[in-house]
Amino acid sequence: MTVLGVLVSTSRGSVADARGPSCGPGMSLVADKFCVDRYEGSLVLVTSDGERPFSPYEMIKGRNVRAVSRAGVAPQAYISRNEAQVACTASHKRLCTEAEWVQACEGKKP
């Protein structure tokens, strides 16, 4: 089981380009290097009628989903790394690297 974790913005290209106040809504700038979502990733189901929440306890099974970051929502489980990357890409984001995840979780150094 994989849990969809922190997402990194790719809206301005490489991580090194995501500097300053260019972080999108709901994102935080980490160490003046990259933007991460403030909340762990969850999914929405994308249909021809729009989007609706997707259960964090359901497997994707080929459905069209995209990753979102919302307060008070359980993070997505039962998702492979490849499925998570596809969901992130659909939202113009990517999974963070291990080093980015650790740095984001540690916060500012005293």
Side-chain angles (χ1 to χ4, degrees):
M1 175 178 77
T2 298
V3 174
L4 186 58
V6 179
L7 309 174
V8 179
S9 174
T10 59
S11 61
R12 293 193 60 208
S14 70
V15 172
D17 291 338
R19 296 190 187 281
S22 62
C23 292
M27 300 190 89
S28 295
L29 183 65
V30 177
D32 293 328
K33 294 180 184 175
F34 56 95
C35 299
V36 296
D37 283 333
R38 290 187 184 135
Y39 305 101
E40 290 189 81
S42 57
L43 299 177
V44 291
L45 182 66
V46 180
T47 69
S48 58
D49 297 329
E51 296 179 345
R52 64 178 175 83
F54 187 80
S55 171
Y57 309 108
E58 249 184 271
M59 295 179 74
I60 294 174
K61 296 182 182 175
R63 289 177 253 197
N64 187 17
V65 295
R66 74 177 187 86
V68 295
S69 173
R70 296 187 175 140
V73 177
Q76 186 65 41
Y78 305 102
I79 184 170
S80 72
R81 186 190 189 293
N82 291 342
E83 290 169 326
Q85 187 60 53
V86 169
C88 291
T89 300
S91 292
H92 307 288
K93 297 182 181 185
R94 64 170 174 79
L95 294 172
C96 60
T97 66
E98 182 178 352
E100 289 168 338
W101 184 81
V102 168
Q103 190 170 19
C105 291
E106 285 178 344
K108 293 182 180 180
K109 295 193 187 320

